[in-house]
Amino acid sequence: MNCFILTGASHGIGEAIAKKLLSNNNHLICVSRTKNEALLSLANSEKHRMDYFEFDLNHVEELDTLMRNILEKISPDVDALYLINNAAIVFNQPIEEIDPSAIARLLTINLVAPMILTSSFIKYSKPLNVEKRMLNVSSGSSFNLSPGGSCYSTSKAGLETFTKSIGIEQSDVKIMAVRPNMVDTAMHAATVNKKNLKSPEYAADRILTFLLERFEHGKIVKAW
Ligand SMILES: NC(=O)c1ccc[n+]([C@@H]2O[C@H](COP(=O)([O-])OP(=O)(O)OC[C@H]3O[C@@H](n4cnc5c(N)ncnc54)[C@H](OP(=O)(O)O)[C@@H]3O)[C@@H](O)[C@H]2O)c1
């Protein structure tokens, strides 16, 4: 059995990834502020193994305990363990118009939380001698800058630097980051040209292909 820990599974790309991971061979553990009831009832009706942690990634002090609790759910005969840091938020506003607490919240959800979850994942999974991979969902906005996107771009650039740093530091646990292009999710509800957007299902397929078939430790890649 493979175990997948996925943040941001309540909608968008995360929900599409979660749906693709529901299978008899997988144990799926989801994290987001709101439970994805449709996903849970699908898993229930098809008798797939799934746990859901309703959790706000902004609660930094509780992130380590969250990961410890998650890893306690994992069966000792697990074959491979995966962490997908997918949850994120975005603002599109000039920096002086953003509330200071909102700046801190974005950096916490998009960057600090994945860093702490990575740290705790490595620490608490040490007794498990299995394949362990972490995938961070980044964005072309890490280098492709736009007015109003400073917080989001900074968080994704930080996430990529973190990914590369962990790549040279760790060898038992592998890490990479994938940059989806524009996807039709709530994040782009106000995007003018919907024609250029890929579906969340397409993005999920690409992300899972990199995680499971084309994984490159320490690398940052475009999803398509
Ligand atoms: N959409 C795109 O075009 C695009 C392009 C490049 C990269 N990306 C990246 O792809 C990833 C997924 O984006 P998306 O478009 O699918 O976004 P989305 O539809 O807005 O979904 C974001 C997910 O993150 C969760 N989340 C947000 N704040 C959270 C918090 N405080 N605690 C826990 N979970 C939280 C949300 O769940 P709750 O609200 O229930 O908490 C939701 O499940 C992100 O990392 C994004 O940066 C997206």
Side-chain angles (χ1 to χ4, degrees), residues 4 82 84 133-136 174-180 202-217 219-224:
F4 295 84
Y82 302 93
I84 306 171
R133 294 181 185 174
M134 303 176 290
L135 185 145
N136 292 325
K174 310 282 193 302
I175 191 165
M176 81 177 293
V178 175
R179 295 178 183 141
Y202 179 83
D205 267 337
R206 299 300 302 155
I207 288 168
L208 288 175
T209 298
F210 279 103
L211 179 64
L212 299 171
E213 295 163 31
R214 296 178 56 187
F215 198 88
E216 287 185 82
H217 183 47
K219 294 283 189 264
I220 317 293
V221 298
K222 283 187 353 188
W224 59 88

PDB file of all heavy atoms in Angstrom, residues 4 82 84 133-136 174-180 202-217 219-224:
ATOM      1  N   PHE A   4      -0.370   8.581   0.629  1.00  0.00           N
ATOM      2  CA  PHE A   4      -0.225   9.941   0.102  1.00  0.00           C
ATOM      3  C   PHE A   4      -0.806  10.945   1.088  1.00  0.00           C
ATOM      4  O   PHE A   4      -1.978  10.832   1.460  1.00  0.00           O
ATOM      5  CB  PHE A   4      -0.975  10.081  -1.228  1.00  0.00           C
ATOM      6  CG  PHE A   4      -0.416   9.242  -2.329  1.00  0.00           C
ATOM      7  CD1 PHE A   4      -0.787   7.911  -2.454  1.00  0.00           C
ATOM      8  CD2 PHE A   4       0.482   9.783  -3.243  1.00  0.00           C
ATOM      9  CE1 PHE A   4      -0.267   7.130  -3.485  1.00  0.00           C
ATOM     10  CE2 PHE A   4       1.003   9.004  -4.273  1.00  0.00           C
ATOM     11  CZ  PHE A   4       0.627   7.674  -4.398  1.00  0.00           C
ATOM     12  N   TYR A  82       4.294   9.455   0.454  1.00  0.00           N
ATOM     13  CA  TYR A  82       4.389  10.669  -0.360  1.00  0.00           C
ATOM     14  C   TYR A  82       3.747  11.838   0.373  1.00  0.00           C
ATOM     15  O   TYR A  82       2.680  11.688   0.969  1.00  0.00           O
ATOM     16  CB  TYR A  82       3.643  10.480  -1.692  1.00  0.00           C
ATOM     17  CG  TYR A  82       4.144   9.322  -2.523  1.00  0.00           C
ATOM     18  CD1 TYR A  82       3.547   8.064  -2.419  1.00  0.00           C
ATOM     19  CD2 TYR A  82       5.200   9.487  -3.405  1.00  0.00           C
ATOM     20  CE1 TYR A  82       3.997   6.999  -3.182  1.00  0.00           C
ATOM     21  CE2 TYR A  82       5.660   8.426  -4.177  1.00  0.00           C
ATOM     22  CZ  TYR A  82       5.052   7.187  -4.055  1.00  0.00           C
ATOM     23  OH  TYR A  82       5.505   6.142  -4.811  1.00  0.00           O
ATOM     24  N   ILE A  84       2.457  15.696  -0.610  1.00  0.00           N
ATOM     25  CA  ILE A  84       2.239  16.702  -1.659  1.00  0.00           C
ATOM     26  C   ILE A  84       1.792  18.003  -0.995  1.00  0.00           C
ATOM     27  O   ILE A  84       0.688  18.094  -0.447  1.00  0.00           O
ATOM     28  CB  ILE A  84       1.167  16.234  -2.680  1.00  0.00           C
ATOM     29  CG1 ILE A  84       1.523  14.863  -3.247  1.00  0.00           C
ATOM     30  CG2 ILE A  84       1.028  17.272  -3.805  1.00  0.00           C
ATOM     31  CD1 ILE A  84       0.414  14.235  -4.100  1.00  0.00           C
ATOM     32  N   ARG A 133       8.899  10.359  -0.778  1.00  0.00           N
ATOM     33  CA  ARG A 133       9.032  11.476  -1.725  1.00  0.00           C
ATOM     34  C   ARG A 133       8.125  12.627  -1.320  1.00  0.00           C
ATOM     35  O   ARG A 133       6.979  12.392  -0.910  1.00  0.00           O
ATOM     36  CB  ARG A 133       8.614  11.038  -3.132  1.00  0.00           C
ATOM     37  CG  ARG A 133       9.534  10.011  -3.731  1.00  0.00           C
ATOM     38  CD  ARG A 133       9.073   9.658  -5.126  1.00  0.00           C
ATOM     39  NE  ARG A 133       9.891   8.585  -5.660  1.00  0.00           N
ATOM     40  CZ  ARG A 133       9.672   7.975  -6.810  1.00  0.00           C
ATOM     41  NH1 ARG A 133       8.654   8.348  -7.573  1.00  0.00           N
ATOM     42  NH2 ARG A 133      10.454   6.999  -7.213  1.00  0.00           N
ATOM     43  N   MET A 134       8.642  13.848  -1.515  1.00  0.00           N
ATOM     44  CA  MET A 134       7.830  15.046  -1.252  1.00  0.00           C
ATOM     45  C   MET A 134       7.778  15.861  -2.544  1.00  0.00           C
ATOM     46  O   MET A 134       8.806  16.038  -3.208  1.00  0.00           O
ATOM     47  CB  MET A 134       8.480  15.894  -0.159  1.00  0.00           C
ATOM     48  CG  MET A 134       8.680  15.112   1.135  1.00  0.00           C
ATOM     49  SD  MET A 134       9.534  16.057   2.398  1.00  0.00           S
ATOM     50  CE  MET A 134      11.169  16.161   1.717  1.00  0.00           C
ATOM     51  N   LEU A 135       6.584  16.350  -2.858  1.00  0.00           N
ATOM     52  CA  LEU A 135       6.435  17.201  -4.049  1.00  0.00           C
ATOM     53  C   LEU A 135       5.777  18.516  -3.642  1.00  0.00           C
ATOM     54  O   LEU A 135       4.708  18.518  -3.023  1.00  0.00           O
ATOM     55  CB  LEU A 135       5.595  16.487  -5.118  1.00  0.00           C
ATOM     56  CG  LEU A 135       5.482  17.246  -6.436  1.00  0.00           C
ATOM     57  CD1 LEU A 135       5.465  16.274  -7.619  1.00  0.00           C
ATOM     58  CD2 LEU A 135       4.260  18.141  -6.492  1.00  0.00           C
ATOM     59  N   ASN A 136       6.455  19.611  -3.956  1.00  0.00           N
ATOM     60  CA  ASN A 136       5.899  20.935  -3.679  1.00  0.00           C
ATOM     61  C   ASN A 136       5.298  21.514  -4.958  1.00  0.00           C
ATOM     62  O   ASN A 136       5.957  21.542  -5.998  1.00  0.00           O
ATOM     63  CB  ASN A 136       6.997  21.871  -3.154  1.00  0.00           C
ATOM     64  CG  ASN A 136       7.473  21.439  -1.783  1.00  0.00           C
ATOM     65  OD1 ASN A 136       6.677  20.948  -0.968  1.00  0.00           O
ATOM     66  ND2 ASN A 136       8.760  21.597  -1.507  1.00  0.00           N
ATOM     67  N   LYS A 174      13.283  12.094  -0.670  1.00  0.00           N
ATOM     68  CA  LYS A 174      13.488  12.839  -1.920  1.00  0.00           C
ATOM     69  C   LYS A 174      12.476  13.979  -2.032  1.00  0.00           C
ATOM     70  O   LYS A 174      11.371  13.901  -1.513  1.00  0.00           O
ATOM     71  CB  LYS A 174      13.300  11.906  -3.126  1.00  0.00           C
ATOM     72  CG  LYS A 174      14.072  10.597  -3.042  1.00  0.00           C
ATOM     73  CD  LYS A 174      15.522  10.812  -3.382  1.00  0.00           C
ATOM     74  CE  LYS A 174      16.290   9.532  -3.631  1.00  0.00           C
ATOM     75  NZ  LYS A 174      16.290   8.565  -2.536  1.00  0.00           N
ATOM     76  N   ILE A 175      12.884  15.029  -2.757  1.00  0.00           N
ATOM     77  CA  ILE A 175      12.018  16.213  -2.880  1.00  0.00           C
ATOM     78  C   ILE A 175      12.108  16.785  -4.293  1.00  0.00           C
ATOM     79  O   ILE A 175      13.166  16.727  -4.936  1.00  0.00           O
ATOM     80  CB  ILE A 175      12.424  17.282  -1.826  1.00  0.00           C
ATOM     81  CG1 ILE A 175      11.377  18.392  -1.737  1.00  0.00           C
ATOM     82  CG2 ILE A 175      13.819  17.852  -2.111  1.00  0.00           C
ATOM     83  CD1 ILE A 175      11.525  19.267  -0.489  1.00  0.00           C
ATOM     84  N   MET A 176      11.019  17.330  -4.792  1.00  0.00           N
ATOM     85  CA  MET A 176      11.065  18.105  -6.033  1.00  0.00           C
ATOM     86  C   MET A 176       9.907  19.097  -6.033  1.00  0.00           C
ATOM     87  O   MET A 176       9.017  19.014  -5.182  1.00  0.00           O
ATOM     88  CB  MET A 176      11.026  17.210  -7.286  1.00  0.00           C
ATOM     89  CG  MET A 176       9.683  16.727  -7.715  1.00  0.00           C
ATOM     90  SD  MET A 176       9.743  15.743  -9.268  1.00  0.00           S
ATOM     91  CE  MET A 176      10.212  16.980 -10.493  1.00  0.00           C
ATOM     92  N   ALA A 177       9.942  20.034  -6.959  1.00  0.00           N
ATOM     93  CA  ALA A 177       8.827  20.982  -7.105  1.00  0.00           C
ATOM     94  C   ALA A 177       8.377  20.988  -8.556  1.00  0.00           C
ATOM     95  O   ALA A 177       9.188  20.818  -9.473  1.00  0.00           O
ATOM     96  CB  ALA A 177       9.241  22.383  -6.668  1.00  0.00           C
ATOM     97  N   VAL A 178       7.075  21.156  -8.742  1.00  0.00           N
ATOM     98  CA  VAL A 178       6.486  21.175 -10.080  1.00  0.00           C
ATOM     99  C   VAL A 178       5.703  22.473 -10.224  1.00  0.00           C
ATOM    100  O   VAL A 178       4.976  22.882  -9.322  1.00  0.00           O
ATOM    101  CB  VAL A 178       5.568  19.943 -10.268  1.00  0.00           C
ATOM    102  CG1 VAL A 178       4.851  20.017 -11.610  1.00  0.00           C
ATOM    103  CG2 VAL A 178       6.365  18.652 -10.181  1.00  0.00           C
ATOM    104  N   ARG A 179       5.881  23.090 -11.405  1.00  0.00           N
ATOM    105  CA  ARG A 179       5.161  24.352 -11.689  1.00  0.00           C
ATOM    106  C   ARG A 179       4.034  24.109 -12.681  1.00  0.00           C
ATOM    107  O   ARG A 179       4.300  23.992 -13.887  1.00  0.00           O
ATOM    108  CB  ARG A 179       6.097  25.348 -12.361  1.00  0.00           C
ATOM    109  CG  ARG A 179       7.247  25.833 -11.542  1.00  0.00           C
ATOM    110  CD  ARG A 179       8.065  26.781 -12.434  1.00  0.00           C
ATOM    111  NE  ARG A 179       9.244  27.238 -11.755  1.00  0.00           N
ATOM    112  CZ  ARG A 179      10.430  27.392 -12.351  1.00  0.00           C
ATOM    113  NH1 ARG A 179      10.577  27.114 -13.637  1.00  0.00           N
ATOM    114  NH2 ARG A 179      11.456  27.838 -11.669  1.00  0.00           N
ATOM    115  N   PRO A 180       2.776  24.076 -12.221  1.00  0.00           N
ATOM    116  CA  PRO A 180       1.689  24.038 -13.202  1.00  0.00           C
ATOM    117  C   PRO A 180       1.604  25.391 -13.896  1.00  0.00           C
ATOM    118  O   PRO A 180       1.998  26.406 -13.328  1.00  0.00           O
ATOM    119  CB  PRO A 180       0.426  23.821 -12.347  1.00  0.00           C
ATOM    120  CG  PRO A 180       0.905  23.516 -10.973  1.00  0.00           C
ATOM    121  CD  PRO A 180       2.289  24.065 -10.837  1.00  0.00           C
ATOM    122  N   TYR A 202      -6.264  17.752 -15.658  1.00  0.00           N
ATOM    123  CA  TYR A 202      -5.049  17.715 -16.477  1.00  0.00           C
ATOM    124  C   TYR A 202      -3.836  18.017 -15.589  1.00  0.00           C
ATOM    125  O   TYR A 202      -2.818  17.316 -15.641  1.00  0.00           O
ATOM    126  CB  TYR A 202      -5.158  18.737 -17.620  1.00  0.00           C
ATOM    127  CG  TYR A 202      -3.937  18.782 -18.505  1.00  0.00           C
ATOM    128  CD1 TYR A 202      -3.780  17.870 -19.543  1.00  0.00           C
ATOM    129  CD2 TYR A 202      -2.932  19.732 -18.287  1.00  0.00           C
ATOM    130  CE1 TYR A 202      -2.646  17.900 -20.353  1.00  0.00           C
ATOM    131  CE2 TYR A 202      -1.796  19.765 -19.087  1.00  0.00           C
ATOM    132  CZ  TYR A 202      -1.662  18.850 -20.123  1.00  0.00           C
ATOM    133  OH  TYR A 202      -0.531  18.875 -20.903  1.00  0.00           O
ATOM    134  N   ALA A 203      -3.967  19.074 -14.771  1.00  0.00           N
ATOM    135  CA  ALA A 203      -2.849  19.446 -13.884  1.00  0.00           C
ATOM    136  C   ALA A 203      -2.528  18.297 -12.921  1.00  0.00           C
ATOM    137  O   ALA A 203      -1.354  17.992 -12.669  1.00  0.00           O
ATOM    138  CB  ALA A 203      -3.212  20.715 -13.099  1.00  0.00           C
ATOM    139  N   ALA A 204      -3.576  17.654 -12.408  1.00  0.00           N
ATOM    140  CA  ALA A 204      -3.369  16.548 -11.461  1.00  0.00           C
ATOM    141  C   ALA A 204      -2.615  15.408 -12.132  1.00  0.00           C
ATOM    142  O   ALA A 204      -1.680  14.835 -11.543  1.00  0.00           O
ATOM    143  CB  ALA A 204      -4.727  16.061 -10.945  1.00  0.00           C
ATOM    144  N   ASP A 205      -2.981  15.098 -13.373  1.00  0.00           N
ATOM    145  CA  ASP A 205      -2.292  14.026 -14.114  1.00  0.00           C
ATOM    146  C   ASP A 205      -0.808  14.333 -14.269  1.00  0.00           C
ATOM    147  O   ASP A 205       0.045  13.478 -14.069  1.00  0.00           O
ATOM    148  CB  ASP A 205      -2.888  13.902 -15.529  1.00  0.00           C
ATOM    149  CG  ASP A 205      -3.995  12.877 -15.568  1.00  0.00           C
ATOM    150  OD1 ASP A 205      -4.016  11.992 -14.705  1.00  0.00           O
ATOM    151  OD2 ASP A 205      -4.850  12.984 -16.476  1.00  0.00           O
ATOM    152  N   ARG A 206      -0.530  15.590 -14.639  1.00  0.00           N
ATOM    153  CA  ARG A 206       0.869  15.978 -14.861  1.00  0.00           C
ATOM    154  C   ARG A 206       1.659  15.906 -13.545  1.00  0.00           C
ATOM    155  O   ARG A 206       2.778  15.415 -13.509  1.00  0.00           O
ATOM    156  CB  ARG A 206       0.960  17.404 -15.427  1.00  0.00           C
ATOM    157  CG  ARG A 206       0.287  17.622 -16.763  1.00  0.00           C
ATOM    158  CD  ARG A 206       0.860  16.752 -17.856  1.00  0.00           C
ATOM    159  NE  ARG A 206       2.295  16.970 -18.023  1.00  0.00           N
ATOM    160  CZ  ARG A 206       3.153  16.086 -18.529  1.00  0.00           C
ATOM    161  NH1 ARG A 206       2.721  14.902 -18.911  1.00  0.00           N
ATOM    162  NH2 ARG A 206       4.429  16.375 -18.635  1.00  0.00           N
ATOM    163  N   ILE A 207       1.064  16.411 -12.477  1.00  0.00           N
ATOM    164  CA  ILE A 207       1.756  16.423 -11.176  1.00  0.00           C
ATOM    165  C   ILE A 207       2.030  14.984 -10.721  1.00  0.00           C
ATOM    166  O   ILE A 207       3.134  14.650 -10.274  1.00  0.00           O
ATOM    167  CB  ILE A 207       0.916  17.212 -10.142  1.00  0.00           C
ATOM    168  CG1 ILE A 207       0.974  18.705 -10.483  1.00  0.00           C
ATOM    169  CG2 ILE A 207       1.399  16.956  -8.710  1.00  0.00           C
ATOM    170  CD1 ILE A 207      -0.016  19.578  -9.732  1.00  0.00           C
ATOM    171  N   LEU A 208       1.035  14.107 -10.872  1.00  0.00           N
ATOM    172  CA  LEU A 208       1.222  12.719 -10.427  1.00  0.00           C
ATOM    173  C   LEU A 208       2.219  11.971 -11.321  1.00  0.00           C
ATOM    174  O   LEU A 208       2.935  11.087 -10.845  1.00  0.00           O
ATOM    175  CB  LEU A 208      -0.123  11.988 -10.372  1.00  0.00           C
ATOM    176  CG  LEU A 208      -1.017  12.459  -9.215  1.00  0.00           C
ATOM    177  CD1 LEU A 208      -2.382  11.786  -9.279  1.00  0.00           C
ATOM    178  CD2 LEU A 208      -0.366  12.206  -7.855  1.00  0.00           C
ATOM    179  N   THR A 209       2.285  12.367 -12.599  1.00  0.00           N
ATOM    180  CA  THR A 209       3.290  11.743 -13.472  1.00  0.00           C
ATOM    181  C   THR A 209       4.696  12.067 -12.960  1.00  0.00           C
ATOM    182  O   THR A 209       5.562  11.198 -12.886  1.00  0.00           O
ATOM    183  CB  THR A 209       3.121  12.249 -14.930  1.00  0.00           C
ATOM    184  OG1 THR A 209       1.834  11.854 -15.363  1.00  0.00           O
ATOM    185  CG2 THR A 209       4.186  11.688 -15.854  1.00  0.00           C
ATOM    186  N   PHE A 210       4.893  13.325 -12.561  1.00  0.00           N
ATOM    187  CA  PHE A 210       6.222  13.683 -12.031  1.00  0.00           C
ATOM    188  C   PHE A 210       6.474  12.988 -10.693  1.00  0.00           C
ATOM    189  O   PHE A 210       7.569  12.494 -10.448  1.00  0.00           O
ATOM    190  CB  PHE A 210       6.382  15.204 -11.917  1.00  0.00           C
ATOM    191  CG  PHE A 210       6.724  15.829 -13.232  1.00  0.00           C
ATOM    192  CD1 PHE A 210       5.763  16.505 -13.978  1.00  0.00           C
ATOM    193  CD2 PHE A 210       8.005  15.695 -13.772  1.00  0.00           C
ATOM    194  CE1 PHE A 210       6.074  17.051 -15.217  1.00  0.00           C
ATOM    195  CE2 PHE A 210       8.331  16.241 -15.016  1.00  0.00           C
ATOM    196  CZ  PHE A 210       7.359  16.916 -15.742  1.00  0.00           C
ATOM    197  N   LEU A 211       5.472  12.933  -9.859  1.00  0.00           N
ATOM    198  CA  LEU A 211       5.674  12.313  -8.538  1.00  0.00           C
ATOM    199  C   LEU A 211       5.994  10.824  -8.664  1.00  0.00           C
ATOM    200  O   LEU A 211       6.886  10.310  -7.975  1.00  0.00           O
ATOM    201  CB  LEU A 211       4.412  12.515  -7.675  1.00  0.00           C
ATOM    202  CG  LEU A 211       4.463  11.909  -6.279  1.00  0.00           C
ATOM    203  CD1 LEU A 211       5.549  12.564  -5.435  1.00  0.00           C
ATOM    204  CD2 LEU A 211       3.110  12.057  -5.569  1.00  0.00           C
ATOM    205  N   LEU A 212       5.275  10.128  -9.549  1.00  0.00           N
ATOM    206  CA  LEU A 212       5.359   8.665  -9.553  1.00  0.00           C
ATOM    207  C   LEU A 212       6.270   8.095 -10.643  1.00  0.00           C
ATOM    208  O   LEU A 212       6.842   7.018 -10.465  1.00  0.00           O
ATOM    209  CB  LEU A 212       3.954   8.072  -9.705  1.00  0.00           C
ATOM    210  CG  LEU A 212       2.994   8.460  -8.569  1.00  0.00           C
ATOM    211  CD1 LEU A 212       1.570   8.028  -8.889  1.00  0.00           C
ATOM    212  CD2 LEU A 212       3.445   7.865  -7.237  1.00  0.00           C
ATOM    213  N   GLU A 213       6.419   8.829 -11.767  1.00  0.00           N
ATOM    214  CA  GLU A 213       7.165   8.233 -12.886  1.00  0.00           C
ATOM    215  C   GLU A 213       8.393   9.027 -13.304  1.00  0.00           C
ATOM    216  O   GLU A 213       9.322   8.481 -13.860  1.00  0.00           O
ATOM    217  CB  GLU A 213       6.249   8.108 -14.123  1.00  0.00           C
ATOM    218  CG  GLU A 213       5.106   7.137 -13.916  1.00  0.00           C
ATOM    219  CD  GLU A 213       3.994   7.330 -14.951  1.00  0.00           C
ATOM    220  OE1 GLU A 213       4.300   7.733 -16.088  1.00  0.00           O
ATOM    221  OE2 GLU A 213       2.831   7.098 -14.581  1.00  0.00           O
ATOM    222  N   ARG A 214       8.345  10.346 -13.090  1.00  0.00           N
ATOM    223  CA  ARG A 214       9.461  11.164 -13.610  1.00  0.00           C
ATOM    224  C   ARG A 214      10.083  11.988 -12.489  1.00  0.00           C
ATOM    225  O   ARG A 214      10.464  13.137 -12.683  1.00  0.00           O
ATOM    226  CB  ARG A 214       8.942  12.080 -14.729  1.00  0.00           C
ATOM    227  CG  ARG A 214       8.441  11.275 -15.927  1.00  0.00           C
ATOM    228  CD  ARG A 214       7.895  12.179 -17.011  1.00  0.00           C
ATOM    229  NE  ARG A 214       8.845  13.172 -17.476  1.00  0.00           N
ATOM    230  CZ  ARG A 214       8.554  14.159 -18.312  1.00  0.00           C
ATOM    231  NH1 ARG A 214       7.328  14.280 -18.790  1.00  0.00           N
ATOM    232  NH2 ARG A 214       9.466  15.032 -18.670  1.00  0.00           N
ATOM    233  N   PHE A 215      10.180  11.389 -11.326  1.00  0.00           N
ATOM    234  CA  PHE A 215      10.666  12.123 -10.161  1.00  0.00           C
ATOM    235  C   PHE A 215      12.154  12.436 -10.303  1.00  0.00           C
ATOM    236  O   PHE A 215      12.951  11.592 -10.664  1.00  0.00           O
ATOM    237  CB  PHE A 215      10.426  11.296  -8.895  1.00  0.00           C
ATOM    238  CG  PHE A 215      10.480  12.122  -7.648  1.00  0.00           C
ATOM    239  CD1 PHE A 215       9.341  12.756  -7.180  1.00  0.00           C
ATOM    240  CD2 PHE A 215      11.668  12.306  -6.968  1.00  0.00           C
ATOM    241  CE1 PHE A 215       9.390  13.550  -6.047  1.00  0.00           C
ATOM    242  CE2 PHE A 215      11.721  13.094  -5.831  1.00  0.00           C
ATOM    243  CZ  PHE A 215      10.579  13.717  -5.364  1.00  0.00           C
ATOM    244  N   GLU A 216      12.527  13.686 -10.011  1.00  0.00           N
ATOM    245  CA  GLU A 216      13.944  14.086 -10.071  1.00  0.00           C
ATOM    246  C   GLU A 216      14.284  14.833  -8.794  1.00  0.00           C
ATOM    247  O   GLU A 216      13.853  15.979  -8.610  1.00  0.00           O
ATOM    248  CB  GLU A 216      14.183  15.015 -11.269  1.00  0.00           C
ATOM    249  CG  GLU A 216      14.167  14.337 -12.598  1.00  0.00           C
ATOM    250  CD  GLU A 216      14.547  15.334 -13.696  1.00  0.00           C
ATOM    251  OE1 GLU A 216      15.743  15.573 -13.906  1.00  0.00           O
ATOM    252  OE2 GLU A 216      13.621  15.899 -14.295  1.00  0.00           O
ATOM    253  N   HIS A 217      15.034  14.173  -7.937  1.00  0.00           N
ATOM    254  CA  HIS A 217      15.370  14.722  -6.627  1.00  0.00           C
ATOM    255  C   HIS A 217      16.053  16.096  -6.734  1.00  0.00           C
ATOM    256  O   HIS A 217      17.034  16.259  -7.472  1.00  0.00           O
ATOM    257  CB  HIS A 217      16.289  13.724  -5.913  1.00  0.00           C
ATOM    258  CG  HIS A 217      16.665  14.125  -4.528  1.00  0.00           C
ATOM    259  ND1 HIS A 217      15.765  14.584  -3.601  1.00  0.00           N
ATOM    260  CD2 HIS A 217      17.874  14.109  -3.894  1.00  0.00           C
ATOM    261  CE1 HIS A 217      16.394  14.847  -2.470  1.00  0.00           C
ATOM    262  NE2 HIS A 217      17.676  14.573  -2.625  1.00  0.00           N
ATOM    263  N   LYS A 219      14.982  18.805  -8.040  1.00  0.00           N
ATOM    264  CA  LYS A 219      14.725  19.580  -9.263  1.00  0.00           C
ATOM    265  C   LYS A 219      13.393  20.339  -9.210  1.00  0.00           C
ATOM    266  O   LYS A 219      12.465  19.971  -8.504  1.00  0.00           O
ATOM    267  CB  LYS A 219      14.673  18.632 -10.477  1.00  0.00           C
ATOM    268  CG  LYS A 219      15.992  17.965 -10.770  1.00  0.00           C
ATOM    269  CD  LYS A 219      16.950  18.921 -11.472  1.00  0.00           C
ATOM    270  CE  LYS A 219      18.209  18.258 -11.974  1.00  0.00           C
ATOM    271  NZ  LYS A 219      19.365  18.353 -11.106  1.00  0.00           N
ATOM    272  N   ILE A 220      13.344  21.429 -10.004  1.00  0.00           N
ATOM    273  CA  ILE A 220      12.125  22.217 -10.201  1.00  0.00           C
ATOM    274  C   ILE A 220      11.761  22.054 -11.675  1.00  0.00           C
ATOM    275  O   ILE A 220      12.597  22.351 -12.539  1.00  0.00           O
ATOM    276  CB  ILE A 220      12.378  23.732  -9.955  1.00  0.00           C
ATOM    277  CG1 ILE A 220      13.247  23.979  -8.708  1.00  0.00           C
ATOM    278  CG2 ILE A 220      11.087  24.522  -9.947  1.00  0.00           C
ATOM    279  CD1 ILE A 220      12.640  23.620  -7.405  1.00  0.00           C
ATOM    280  N   VAL A 221      10.551  21.598 -11.967  1.00  0.00           N
ATOM    281  CA  VAL A 221      10.192  21.386 -13.376  1.00  0.00           C
ATOM    282  C   VAL A 221       8.846  22.031 -13.711  1.00  0.00           C
ATOM    283  O   VAL A 221       7.995  22.205 -12.831  1.00  0.00           O
ATOM    284  CB  VAL A 221      10.115  19.880 -13.741  1.00  0.00           C
ATOM    285  CG1 VAL A 221      11.448  19.196 -13.554  1.00  0.00           C
ATOM    286  CG2 VAL A 221       9.015  19.181 -12.954  1.00  0.00           C
ATOM    287  N   LYS A 222       8.689  22.338 -14.981  1.00  0.00           N
ATOM    288  CA  LYS A 222       7.385  22.814 -15.476  1.00  0.00           C
ATOM    289  C   LYS A 222       6.478  21.604 -15.628  1.00  0.00           C
ATOM    290  O   LYS A 222       6.901  20.574 -16.156  1.00  0.00           O
ATOM    291  CB  LYS A 222       7.562  23.478 -16.848  1.00  0.00           C
ATOM    292  CG  LYS A 222       8.139  24.852 -16.730  1.00  0.00           C
ATOM    293  CD  LYS A 222       8.216  25.703 -17.974  1.00  0.00           C
ATOM    294  CE  LYS A 222       7.905  25.206 -19.308  1.00  0.00           C
ATOM    295  NZ  LYS A 222       8.230  26.144 -20.391  1.00  0.00           N
ATOM    296  N   ALA A 223       5.214  21.714 -15.183  1.00  0.00           N
ATOM    297  CA  ALA A 223       4.309  20.566 -15.263  1.00  0.00           C
ATOM    298  C   ALA A 223       3.927  20.264 -16.710  1.00  0.00           C
ATOM    299  O   ALA A 223       3.599  19.140 -17.053  1.00  0.00           O
ATOM    300  CB  ALA A 223       3.059  20.823 -14.426  1.00  0.00           C
ATOM    301  N   TRP A 224       3.911  21.289 -17.574  1.00  0.00           N
ATOM    302  CA  TRP A 224       3.691  21.080 -19.021  1.00  0.00           C
ATOM    303  C   TRP A 224       4.206  22.280 -19.778  1.00  0.00           C
ATOM    304  O   TRP A 224       4.533  23.289 -19.176  1.00  0.00           O
ATOM    305  CB  TRP A 224       2.209  20.853 -19.357  1.00  0.00           C
ATOM    306  CG  TRP A 224       1.271  21.946 -18.980  1.00  0.00           C
ATOM    307  CD1 TRP A 224       0.919  23.055 -19.715  1.00  0.00           C
ATOM    308  CD2 TRP A 224       0.518  22.044 -17.748  1.00  0.00           C
ATOM    309  NE1 TRP A 224       0.016  23.803 -19.017  1.00  0.00           N
ATOM    310  CE2 TRP A 224      -0.255  23.213 -17.809  1.00  0.00           C
ATOM    311  CE3 TRP A 224       0.439  21.241 -16.588  1.00  0.00           C
ATOM    312  CZ2 TRP A 224      -1.097  23.628 -16.759  1.00  0.00           C
ATOM    313  CZ3 TRP A 224      -0.394  21.639 -15.552  1.00  0.00           C
ATOM    314  CH2 TRP A 224      -1.155  22.828 -15.658  1.00  0.00           C
TER     315      TRP A 224
END
